[in-house]
Amino acid sequence: MPIEQHSIDFIPLSERHGKPRDLWTLWFSANMQFTAITTGALAVVLGQNFFWAALSILVGNLVGGIFMAYHSAQGPRLGIPQMIQSRAQFGFYGAILPLVLVIIMYIGYFATSAVLGGQAFAGWLHLSPSVGIVIVALICAVLAIYGYDAIHRYERYLAYIFAVAFFYLTVHLMAVHESAAAHLLNPQGFSFPVFLLAVSVFATWQITYAPYVADYSRYMPPDTPVSSTFWATYAGSVLASVWMMWVGALAMAVAAKAFNANGVAYIVGQAHLGEAFYLLIILGIIAANVLNLYGIYMSTMTTVSALRRSGHSNGLRIGIIVFGGIVGTALAIWGQGNFLNNYSNFLLLLLYFLVPWTAINLTDFYLVRHGHYHIDAILERSRLYGDVNWRAMVAFFGAVATEIPLMNTTLYQGPLSKLMGGADISWLVGILVAGALYYAFMRRNPVTFPADSSPHAAP
């Protein structure tokens, strides 16, 4: 299989291929992995019993998945990566702001997932966790270098294997703890502030896919229905996420000590398939982490292309991917301790910055411009979208400012969150404020372009 020859450029119509079901398998596989299990455990760590933990997992993913799936539907229409499209909202140079935030996000997710991959390698081959982290990074780098088709093919094969293997694990885990079912499904002990905080965590899980979800649909034909792209992405991501997070919440509820000590070893032990299940966990970590590393490459290329002219080359591709892998691997090795607490803080921190971006992007695509963009003016600096769109900047920072009083993190808790008993609804307010401000600023004087017969104009 040849190395992918496109990066942030427009995908020609002659090279479009793929069907919506490819999105289902990709996002299903990307979420059928141990990082999702660990995230589900946070629902119990925050202080909920299993009943309310399971409900908060369901609600958070159902809501958050709406935003990421609507981003996915942009890919076939525009034929360009997700983050370069931000130039149409923030301007040619203004888009560097969300790009830098997203690169930091990719590196953080790569590092946190790599820690779990290292634990799985340590349990399977009795290597040190650090060596396992390096091996996972190397495999992800190879897949990311080969690119779009290689990633889709890898995820497609794994989807069916994961479905069978984790179904077996889930049934076995429930059977072992059947006697505790009455206690686990007890709806008492509800805390609304904690429930809202947990929902925020799980909505974040889905929303953090938004900056790269269209990267994996951009090769599809432009006439692919929005509804097909949306539902294939939504169903694959939400189903797998909820499933794995419920497994994590159940494990934390019934065996907190063992799960905290070594979650990977505990889950493998529950599967009763010997050390073979370690391999499945490793494959799942790779399925998720290759998306992060590919995202590092795409976002870095978008940033670099704005600062200096640089076309696609295999050498540049390999260099960026290898460098991103080294940075993420170093962070993973350095930050292996206190994993769950650090991971929770990381997820919530991302939420405050990604929510305004996703609201602005979706408002622009679906409500302001209705999918009409001049792709050449996005790819190259032009007067059409400008250098910096200050209206988008005001909407972005205005939304972040409204989130601050509602924040609840270990580093800072806003006054309004304190009044609400620790609840964190900042992400809901951020979405509404960013979307409303951007729409109000842009609808009276939107950036439009004249009819263009070029194939690079998205009609």
Side-chain angles (χ1 to χ4, degrees), residues 325-403:
I326 290 173
V327 173
T329 300
L331 283 175
I333 294 173
W334 172 73
Q336 294 178 62
N338 199 22
F339 177 76
L340 276 175
N341 185 53
N342 291 336
Y343 184 54
S344 175
N345 295 337
F346 175 67
L347 281 171
L348 289 174
L349 182 63
L350 288 175
L351 181 69
Y352 304 124
F353 296 99
L354 285 179
V355 156
W357 171 83
T358 195
I360 289 170
N361 181 272
L362 292 178
T363 299
D364 185 72
F365 186 91
Y366 290 102
L367 300 180
V368 175
R369 296 193 178 100
H370 305 285
H372 295 268
Y373 294 88
H374 197 294
I375 303 304
D376 289 339
I378 291 176
L379 297 176
E380 300 290 340
R381 185 182 178 191
S382 69
R383 290 188 298 175
L384 184 60
Y385 298 118
D387 288 344
V388 178
N389 182 1
W390 293 107
R391 291 174 288 179
M393 290 295 187
V394 170
F396 180 86
F397 286 109
V400 172
T402 62
E403 291 177 308

Side-chain angles (χ1 to χ4, degrees), residues 35-45 53 57 202 244-246 248-250 252:
T35 311
I37 293 176
T38 302
T39 304
L42 293 174
V44 177
V45 172
I57 289 169
F202 304 121
M244 291 298 93
M245 290 178 187
W246 279 355
L250 178 61
M252 182 60 75

Side-chain angles (χ1 to χ4, degrees), residues 6 18 99 146 161 201 211 219 227 255 258 264 269 274 299 306 319 332 349 353 379 381 387 389 398 408:
H6 293 285
L99 277 164
Y146 277 92
I161 297 173
V201 170
Y219 276 82
S227 59
V264 173
S299 294
L349 182 63
F353 296 99
L379 297 176
R381 185 182 178 191
D387 288 344
N389 182 1
N408 184 7

Side-chain angles (χ1 to χ4, degrees), residues 4 12 67 103 109 140 171 189 255 287 365 369 451:
E4 180 186 10
F67 300 97
I103 291 171
Y109 262 99
C140 289
V171 171
F365 186 91
R369 296 193 178 100

Side-chain angles (χ1 to χ4, degrees), residues 120-194:
F121 260 112
W124 182 35
L125 300 178
H126 307 291
L127 302 170
S128 75
S130 296
V131 172
I133 289 170
V134 172
I135 294 173
V136 167
L138 288 173
I139 297 172
C140 289
V142 171
L143 277 173
I145 288 169
Y146 277 92
Y148 183 94
D149 285 331
I151 293 171
H152 265 282
R153 187 171 298 180
Y154 177 81
E155 308 280 0
R156 186 183 309 124
Y157 293 149
L158 286 181
Y160 305 104
I161 297 173
F162 285 162
V164 173
F166 281 101
F167 179 78
Y168 173 85
L169 167 68
T170 305
V171 171
H172 212 281
L173 188 62
M174 292 173 64
V176 168
H177 300 290
E178 183 179 1
S179 60
H183 171 69
L184 291 172
L185 298 178
N186 189 338
Q188 294 181 354
F190 176 68
S191 170
F192 191 59
V194 175

